[in-house]
Amino acid sequence: MDKILRIDMGAEGGPKATVVPIGEYSGLGGRALTSAIVAKEIPPMCHPLSAENKLVISPGLLSGTASAMSGRISVGSKSPLTGGIKESNAGGQPSQVLARLGYAAIVLEGKPNSDDIYKIFINKDDVTIVSDNSLKMLGNYGAVERMKAEYGHKIACISIGQAGEMRLPAASVAFTDTELRPTRHAGRGGTGAVMGSKGVKIIVLDDTGMTIRQPKDPERFKEADKRWITGLQSHGVTGQALPTYGTNVLTNIINEAGGYPTYNFKEGRFAGAAKISGEVEADLETKRGGLATHGCHRGCVIRCSGIYNDKDGHYLTKQPEYETVWAHGGECGIDDMDTIAMFDFLEDDIGLDTIETGVTIGVAMEAGLLKFGDGEGAINLVKEVGKGTPLGRIIGSGAAVTGKVLGVERVPVVKGQALPAYDPRAVQGIGVTYATSPMGADHTAGYAVATNILGVGGTVDPLKPAGQVQLSRDLQIATAFIDSVGMCIFTAFAILDQPETFQALLDLINACYGTEMTAADTVEYGKKVLKMERDFNARAGFTKEQDRLPSFFRSQPVAPHNVTFEVNDEELDQVFNW
């Protein structure tokens, strides 16, 4: 991956593609590369939907190799939702395909001066950019079906749905899975709206004729990959819980811990949680002829996804993940799996972040627009987004905007981005991550739940402030590195508990690149990424005041523990003082 594909959508005479050497960005991949390009090349004060913003799509450092779990892809830009830097990542096939085509990144620049929308086709020989207005306002599923008919089934696609075309701040970027379905999404922060502002509907990748990326030291790489896989498969979370029940295995666990945000973060337990648990979901999938265990990309050995069929045994959606189930379950008071699975399908098709959308509906319920538990009414709200009605555009703009429009006081957002599926009062470490991550509220930025609740990597009492800043700091640094390598974040469970598995990851990188990276080097790498991101945000006008949770988390205790968020502002300001 020694080159970058730059596509100027506003070039004179029409969009123009240019291939350039990776140059000064050498050694960077995934999140590190997207954040480096955003931080260096985008004016921090620009409008996120302007020609000055860019959309950067980058596979990880190990993507395209034979290494297990290396299929994550990062999408970066200035965020229409937060106004700061954004990196959102996803699984699926495109990361592997793009890497095997030799590209460290695709950078979409400029902006068309017409309302045409474009499809981009990339293979080993050429880059073709063609306007295709027949794709306008198609959902992701429909757009991908058109590409399959045109280019065949040996492709991978990156696309946006109606929400991205309408440039709504909750819009996602979709990536196809192994069945060529647009089910894996870079959901957070509105990157789909940036792609829409560039006039790009879909990018089709075809690596026919390309081989798997070869490491500098093939034997060392092969041996390290065996140890890597052994470590992942021997860990209780990555080898047993996730493959058996998917990420939704967390529903009963977090609910029991009293950290399951319910009725727009009013309570910490949901009476209907058992009905929408991972155990129930997996059983339904199996009984209906779907799959309870499935990988989102080739080379996945954790296989935490699945195939969810409807009551008649027909495909409906991929296995809804824990955060999706929560966002439309406990957050909205809905305890029916089929209803939640329909949300998942609709939002994948329309191209919406499921977390942002679920929290937004919870805020709308708080406002009295519909009652908590009204699944049908909530589904209709999502359909309004797809239709582009005025109400739909408000909902598609996210929780912060919806809360302002509807006059709601309790709006759970940081930097304009909705909080995910863990209450920061009952899981104080994740509250530190929510408050301080450069990305806005994001559980994956430093998954303190692992240690606070699951006891992975040690133990820190989730209900007390002691130790939470150090925990979040260390995890944010480690995550920035993992996101850059292209590894699934779930590999962190084994890495935290098994020193030999972490060493296997280092050996994979070193065998691939002919380097001698150490554990200390990974820490410096993660710090470098976070420093770039925080510097961009500072230049965009962010101060320490943006590194705060909404005040109700300090003033309103949450049942059943009746605790508030207790990590004080002075401690929050120390997170990045390393």
Side-chain angles (χ1 to χ4, degrees):
M1 298 191 298
D2 57 357
K3 57 189 179 182
I4 292 175
L5 174 61
R6 293 183 178 270
I7 301 177
D8 184 354
M9 296 303 298
E12 188 175 347
K16 180 181 179 182
T18 306
V19 179
V20 298
I22 192 169
E24 64 182 305
Y25 299 118
S26 180
L28 304 179
R31 176 176 169 182
L33 185 50
T34 65
S35 290
I37 292 174
V38 171
K40 181 177 176 58
E41 299 183 14
I42 297 175
M45 299 303 292
C46 77
H47 193 288
L49 302 179
S50 70
E52 293 178 293
N53 199 7
K54 301 183 181 186
L55 189 77
V56 188
I57 303 170
S58 175
L61 289 171
L62 288 176
S63 296
T65 70
S67 172
M69 307 305 303
S70 59
R72 299 297 288 188
I73 194 164
S74 291
V75 183
S77 69
K78 178 173 179 177
S79 168
L81 191 71
T82 71
I85 198 167
K86 174 52 58 179
E87 184 270 350
S88 183
N89 57 65
Q93 279 297 106
S95 184
Q96 307 284 23
V97 177
L98 187 59
R100 288 170 190 165
L101 286 167
Y103 293 111
I106 298 172
V107 183
L108 299 181
E109 305 174 323
K111 185 176 181 178
N113 51 21
S114 70
D115 62 355
D116 291 328
I117 63 169
Y118 291 83
K119 61 187 177 189
I120 300 171
F121 178 74
I122 306 169
N123 65 9
K124 68 182 181 63
D125 299 316
D126 203 4
V127 177
T128 306
I129 310 165
V130 180
S131 64
D132 187 348
N133 292 322
S134 72
L135 298 174
K136 280 189 176 182
M137 294 303 281
L138 282 183
N140 282 306
Y141 277 88
V144 169
E145 286 300 315
R146 293 274 189 93
M147 297 305 100
K148 286 163 63 177
E150 185 171 355
Y151 298 106
H153 290 246
K154 295 182 179 180
I155 58 173
C157 296
I158 305 169
S159 62
I160 57 172
Q162 298 96 320
E165 281 191 59
M166 291 184 282
R167 307 172 192 182
L168 300 179
S172 63
V173 177
F175 297 82
T176 49
D177 58 20
T178 52
E179 285 77 30
L180 205 43
R181 293 168 174 155
T183 62
R184 321 314 305 186
H185 287 247
R188 314 241 61 198
T191 55
V194 180
M195 188 163 162
S197 74
K198 304 301 178 191
V200 178
K201 177 69 175 181
I202 193 163
I203 301 171
V204 181
L205 306 172
D206 184 349
D207 64 354
T208 300
M210 301 298 293
T211 59
I212 199 166
R213 287 179 63 208
Q214 295 301 313
K216 293 271 182 79
D217 188 338
E219 287 305 312
R220 184 185 181 191
F221 188 90
K222 185 177 180 181
E223 187 272 335
D225 198 41
K226 287 182 179 178
R227 288 186 283 118
W228 174 242
I229 293 170
T230 297
L232 296 174
Q233 293 183 332
S234 65
H235 192 274
V237 176
T238 53
Q240 298 171 34
L242 287 171
T244 305
Y245 299 116
T247 62
N248 199 26
V249 69
L250 286 166
T251 289
N252 282 333
I253 296 170
I254 304 301
N255 196 60
E256 178 63 27
Y260 193 76
T262 301
Y263 305 130
N264 189 33
F265 284 77
K266 189 179 293 182
E267 301 172 17
R269 282 189 180 143
F270 179 42
K275 297 180 182 179
I276 55 174
S277 67
E279 293 83 348
V280 167
E281 187 176 6
D283 185 56
L284 268 178
E285 287 166 341
T286 303
K287 285 180 177 178
R288 293 176 177 181
L291 293 171
T293 303
H294 182 262
C296 73
H297 70 275
R298 296 182 186 94
C300 172
V301 297
I302 295 177
R303 297 171 63 80
C304 71
S305 190
I307 302 294
Y308 192 100
N309 290 342
D310 63 20
K311 293 176 181 178
D312 298 321
H314 300 130
Y315 170 83
L316 177 56
T317 188
K318 51 105 169 39
Q319 181 183 83
E321 297 182 23
Y322 165 67
E323 285 78 16
T324 299
V325 173
W326 160 77
H328 302 86
E331 168 70 358
C332 296
I334 295 168
D335 61 8
D336 179 72
M337 268 311 307
D338 285 330
T339 300
I340 292 169
M342 180 56 73
F343 280 119
D344 191 66
F345 166 74
L346 288 171
E347 287 160 21
D348 278 358
D349 194 40
I350 296 167
L352 287 166
D353 176 17
T354 58
I355 296 173
E356 191 70 42
T357 305
V359 173
T360 301
I361 292 170
V363 169
M365 289 174 164
E366 175 90 4
L369 197 63
L370 64 169
K371 293 182 179 179
F372 283 104
D374 183 356
E376 183 179 353
I379 283 175
N380 286 334
L381 275 186
V382 175
K383 290 180 178 178
E384 292 285 313
V385 181
K387 295 173 185 175
T389 65
L391 177 58
R393 287 174 179 264
I394 292 169
I395 298 297
S397 295
V401 167
T402 299
K404 287 180 180 178
V405 171
L406 299 181
V408 176
E409 176 190 356
R410 192 169 61 247
V411 181
V413 299
V414 174
K415 301 178 178 73
Q417 182 165 284
L419 269 65
Y422 314 88
D423 196 296
R425 292 163 289 193
V427 192
Q428 305 251 331
I430 202 67
V432 176
T433 298
Y434 289 163
T436 62
S437 167
M439 301 299 163
D442 182 355
H443 61 295
T444 68
Y447 192 66
V449 177
T451 306
N452 279 169
I453 302 296
L454 303 177
V456 173
T459 56
V460 177
D461 189 334
L463 300 177
K464 296 179 180 177
Q468 308 296 358
V469 164
Q470 182 68 46
L471 175 63
S472 178
R473 176 193 296 126
D474 291 346
L475 289 172
Q476 288 195 58
I477 292 168
T479 301
F481 172 71
I482 291 171
D483 287 344
S484 303
V485 175
M487 286 297 180
C488 172
I489 192 64
F490 294 145
T491 62
F493 289 113
I495 290 170
L496 286 168
D497 278 342
Q498 302 168 343
E500 66 276 14
T501 303
F502 180 38
Q503 185 59 52
L505 175 60
L506 291 177
D507 291 343
L508 280 169
I509 297 167
N510 290 329
C512 185
Y513 286 93
T515 53
E516 291 299 331
M517 178 176 278
T518 66
D521 293 329
T522 69
V523 172
E524 292 308 309
Y525 195 107
K527 288 179 178 178
K528 179 181 177 180
V529 174
L530 287 165
K531 185 177 184 299
M532 287 189 295
E533 293 168 351
R534 285 177 54 78
D535 177 66
F536 181 91
N537 282 355
R539 290 183 288 125
F542 285 43
T543 70
K544 65 182 181 180
E545 302 307 319
Q546 275 72 50
D547 287 349
R548 303 288 186 260
L549 294 177
S551 61
F552 74 86
F553 286 113
R554 294 195 187 278
S555 63
Q556 299 176 16
V558 67
H561 301 295
N562 295 317
V563 291
T564 58
F565 183 67
E566 295 182 6
V567 182
N568 63 45
D569 291 347
E570 290 74 18
E571 291 176 284
L572 291 177
D573 293 338
Q574 298 304 309
V575 170
F576 298 102
N577 288 348
W578 44 61

